[in-house]
Amino acid sequence: MAVDYAVIVLYLAGMLAMGWWGMRRATSKSDFLVAGRRLGPAMYSGTMAAIVLGGASTIGGVGLGYRYGLSGAWMVFTIGLGLLALSVFFSARIARLKVYTVSEMLDLRYGGSAGLISGVVMWAYTLMLAVTSTLAYATIFDVLFGLDRALAIILGGAIVVAYSTLGGMWSITLTDMVQFVVKTIGVLLLLLPIAVIKAGGFAEMKAQLPDDYFAPLGIGGQTVFTYVLIYSFGMLIGQDIWQRVFTARGDKVARLGGTAAGTYCLVYALAGAVIGTAAKVLYPHLGSPDDAFATIVKDALPVGVRGLVLAAALSAVMSTSSGALIACATVANNDIWARIRGVVRRQSPATDVPHGPDAGPGGAGEPRDEVRGNRVFILLMGLAVIVIALVLNNVVEALTVAYNLLVGGLLVPILGGLLWKRGTGAGALASVAVGGLTVVGLMLSLGVLANEPIYYGLLASLVAYVAVSLATRPTDAAVLDAWRARLAGRPDAAGAEPSVASGPSATTSPAGR
């Protein structure tokens, strides 16, 4: 294993080097949070594919293939479908908004009445997504080095926190491109053909396994429908995904680059299911389906290649973990802390004088260092993620809670804001509250993994949004005019980077945000 270990160590050292290189490019808030909004099609599609295809898509996707056969591709397939829908129908408009977070978009659309509560929901989602990604380090480092679970989480988490804190989105983009290449070579070009050959080819696989393993809906129609609700719709509204859309150089890059990434996800989904099906032929009695990936890598691959494929699994986890971490920190700083700080300052007699760590070095007359502030939040959120991962055990339940809250609470007001001009801020608040509470209540009564919470949560959210919007005054015409101008990308509306919101009424003049 010495050669494999060397490959892994070189890979981890390269990630830290990319973080240091990215730090030199992150000189402004825009650079740090959204890579200066200037990624071209190649880098944009690579980093988008890297963020959505994490440990669950790689290790979990192979595990589903081991358990259900080719229909195990549906989970990752619905992720690809969601990314395609986002890229084709919404990405251009999202990119033109020139914001940093989903909550800022809601502020612009509804006049500043929905940002804080949506920020809290989005923060909870991104936090749990980062935690579940960090937990995956325990499995991978156990396979690689036989490390203790806690030490594996600390080691993997520390590397991601280090390069994310150093260079923000520039570091994450650079590391994601390396991770995208490693995943493509390791999983698609090496593991997939080798696994099929070791299993005797498709004819032998069909002869050895039940027909259900090759049925399109062998996993179950209801399961596929639930995947669409959770993952496809989750791709449309997640802060971690939107923050990558914000990095695009323009509308065309966002649309075409995202379409390429979504198509890549569809191929990756099928590859994982085929690898899992081959593993079922080779190792029919594994203790857990999720052991299929590590088992086939250890037993079926030659020295050196094995290290590269394990690095591919590690890169899948790191790309999702770093994307979720910067999204969590961005929401915590820009949507929650900035609003709380704004409320406190408005209540203070000296509201015109900045205080504390956000003030410039010379006092009130100098702008605060926004890169430093966001860097501090990434470090703090990263430490919180590692601590939570150390005490949490059930990855599937944590991920389900995160996506149920996200989709049940935020899907309707976000898509409603983009598609229905009659939607109001009061309707958005009611939708978030009713949908979120319904999801939480049903998860407590029926179980976290039940399908009903997301079904009824979405329905309750939609009813509340429509009913309250129709029962309240339409959104102010000036707010809607500014919103339409920003969506159209007109220079008078989007020429300047928006500032963070400072309170409930901060967006009555969206052009100055």
Side-chain angles (χ1 to χ4, degrees), residues 150-328:
L151 184 58
I153 289 172
I154 292 171
L155 175 61
I159 293 171
V160 170
V161 171
Y163 73 69
S164 300
T165 302
L166 285 172
M169 187 59 82
W170 266 121
S171 292
I172 292 171
T173 298
L174 294 171
T175 55
D176 276 357
M177 286 305 300
V178 175
Q179 290 159 354
F180 172 74
V181 172
V182 170
K183 279 192 287 193
T184 301
I185 296 174
V187 176
L188 297 184
L189 301 183
L190 293 177
L191 183 57
L192 174 61
I194 291 174
V196 172
I197 293 171
K198 290 281 186 180
F202 283 103
E204 182 65 19
M205 289 162 62
K206 290 197 72 172
Q208 293 282 341
L209 297 172
D211 291 341
D212 286 350
Y213 267 71
F214 302 92
L217 294 177
I219 198 171
Q222 187 180 30
T223 299
V224 174
F225 181 65
T226 303
Y227 283 161
V228 170
L229 287 182
I230 293 177
Y231 297 114
S232 295
F233 286 139
M235 289 297 105
L236 298 181
I237 59 175
Q239 169 66 26
D240 52 324
I241 309 302
W242 276 40
Q243 199 155 344
R244 299 310 172 100
V245 176
F246 300 151
T247 66
R249 188 169 58 204
D251 296 359
K252 189 175 181 181
V253 170
R255 185 181 298 110
L256 297 182
T259 301
T263 304
Y264 179 90
C265 291
L266 303 184
V267 175
Y268 200 88
L270 186 59
V274 171
I275 292 167
T277 305
K280 183 66 174 179
V281 173
L282 294 170
Y283 318 102
H285 304 297
L286 292 179
S288 168
D290 286 341
D291 293 337
F293 181 88
T295 302
I296 196 169
V297 168
K298 288 180 68 176
D299 294 350
L301 300 183
V303 173
V305 173
R306 180 171 50 204
L308 182 61
V309 173
L310 287 172
L314 191 59
S315 69
V317 176
M318 283 188 161
S319 58
T320 300
S321 181
S322 59
L325 177 59
I326 193 171
C328 179

Side-chain angles (χ1 to χ4, degrees), residues 115-495:
L116 182 58
I117 186 173
S118 63
V120 172
V121 173
M122 189 64 76
W123 174 78
Y125 156 73
T126 53
L127 180 70
M128 294 311 297
L129 184 61
V131 167
T132 56
S133 301
T134 304
L135 281 168
Y137 296 128
T139 300
I140 296 173
F141 279 105
D142 177 56
V143 172
L144 293 175
F145 307 116
L147 292 182
D148 175 74
R149 174 183 180 276
L151 184 58
I153 289 172
I154 292 171
L155 175 61
I159 293 171
V160 170
V161 171
Y163 73 69
S164 300
T165 302
L166 285 172
M169 187 59 82
W170 266 121
S171 292
I172 292 171
T173 298
L174 294 171
T175 55
D176 276 357
M177 286 305 300
V178 175
Q179 290 159 354
F180 172 74
V181 172
V182 170
K183 279 192 287 193
T184 301
I185 296 174
V187 176
L188 297 184
L189 301 183
L190 293 177
L191 183 57
L192 174 61
I194 291 174
V196 172
I197 293 171
K198 290 281 186 180
F202 283 103
E204 182 65 19
M205 289 162 62
K206 290 197 72 172
Q208 293 282 341
L209 297 172
D211 291 341
D212 286 350
Y213 267 71
F214 302 92
L217 294 177
I219 198 171
Q222 187 180 30
T223 299
V224 174
F225 181 65
T226 303
Y227 283 161
V228 170
L229 287 182
I230 293 177
Y231 297 114
S232 295
F233 286 139
M235 289 297 105
L236 298 181
I237 59 175
Q239 169 66 26
D240 52 324
I241 309 302
W242 276 40
Q243 199 155 344
R244 299 310 172 100
V245 176
F246 300 151
T247 66
R249 188 169 58 204
D251 296 359
K252 189 175 181 181
V253 170
R255 185 181 298 110
L256 297 182
T259 301
T263 304
Y264 179 90
C265 291
L266 303 184
V267 175
Y268 200 88
L270 186 59
V274 171
I275 292 167
T277 305
K280 183 66 174 179
V281 173
L282 294 170
Y283 318 102
H285 304 297
L286 292 179
S288 168
D290 286 341
D291 293 337
F293 181 88
T295 302
I296 196 169
V297 168
K298 288 180 68 176
D299 294 350
L301 300 183
V303 173
V305 173
R306 180 171 50 204
L308 182 61
V309 173
L310 287 172
L314 191 59
S315 69
V317 176
M318 283 188 161
S319 58
T320 300
S321 181
S322 59
L325 177 59
I326 193 171
C328 179
T330 303
V331 171
N333 188 18
N334 290 265
D335 293 335
I336 300 176
W337 172 241
R339 297 168 196 276
I340 294 173
R341 185 181 63 227
V343 170
V344 171
R345 284 180 178 173
R346 283 199 302 276
Q347 294 173 348
S348 169
T351 56
D352 58 335
V353 181
H355 298 287
D358 293 311
E366 297 185 24
R368 69 181 189 275
D369 185 351
E370 291 186 313
V371 171
R372 182 184 64 183
N374 282 287
R375 185 173 280 136
V376 168
F377 265 86
I378 290 181
L379 179 60
L380 293 176
M381 292 299 103
L383 294 175
V385 164
I386 292 173
V387 170
I388 295 171
L390 289 172
V391 299
L392 195 66
N393 288 318
N394 197 315
V395 180
V396 175
E397 289 192 359
L399 191 62
T400 302
V401 169
Y403 271 98
N404 280 353
L405 283 174
L406 173 71
V407 176
L410 292 180
L411 178 69
V412 171
I414 291 173
L415 293 188
L418 289 168
L419 301 174
W420 191 40
K421 66 179 182 180
R422 185 60 180 83
T424 66
L429 281 173
S431 179
V432 174
V434 172
L437 291 174
T438 301
V439 165
V440 171
L442 289 176
M443 284 194 296
L444 290 174
S445 61
L446 300 177
V448 170
L449 299 180
N451 291 324
E452 289 81 4
I454 190 62
Y455 297 164
Y456 294 113
L458 267 176
L459 180 61
S461 179
L462 177 61
V463 170
Y465 181 71
V466 173
V468 176
S469 291
L470 293 176
T472 53
R473 302 176 87 186
T475 304
D476 186 83
V479 172
L480 285 178
D481 287 344
W483 164 257
R484 294 189 190 100
R486 186 71 73 93
L487 275 179
R490 291 204 290 269
D492 58 329

